[in-house]
Amino acid sequence: ISKDVVTFLNWAAEPELDERKKIGVKALMLFSTLTVIALWIKRNRWHTLKSRKVVFNSPKNWQQQQQQKKN
């Protein structure tokens, strides 16, 4: 019986606890959904830039390429 009394006293102390738990679950679902959408958009936006091949032309190679283009 003491467990029932303690449970009732906890509920009496914070009657809005159940409502806060429901709001918390809704907020977690919303934020997790928004996080997944944001990551998906980020991945699609940066895909073109991340998949590009970056080539470094040293000054010697650059001069040779310029001369070949002129010829």
Side-chain angles (χ1 to χ4, degrees):
I1 193 163
S2 63
K3 186 176 179 181
D4 293 336
V5 173
V6 171
T7 304
F8 172 74
L9 290 175
N10 280 334
W11 175 80
E14 296 186 56
E16 68 278 350
L17 182 64
D18 293 333
E19 186 178 339
R20 278 191 294 160
K21 284 183 181 179
K22 288 179 184 177
I23 291 173
V25 169
K26 288 179 185 178
L28 282 174
M29 290 184 352
L30 175 70
F31 287 130
S32 62
T33 303
L34 290 176
T35 302
V36 168
I37 291 171
L39 290 174
W40 183 74
I41 290 173
K42 175 195 169 282
R43 189 170 184 183
N44 284 340
R45 292 274 183 178
W46 287 93
H47 174 70
T48 55
L49 292 175
K50 285 188 153 198
S51 63
R52 288 185 183 176
K53 185 176 180 183
V54 179
V55 178
F56 175 72
N57 288 329
S58 65
K60 290 180 181 178
N61 291 340
W62 184 77
Q63 290 173 354
Q64 290 172 357
Q65 288 176 357
Q66 294 299 321
Q67 288 174 357
Q68 289 175 355
K69 285 183 183 178
K70 288 182 182 179
N71 294 335

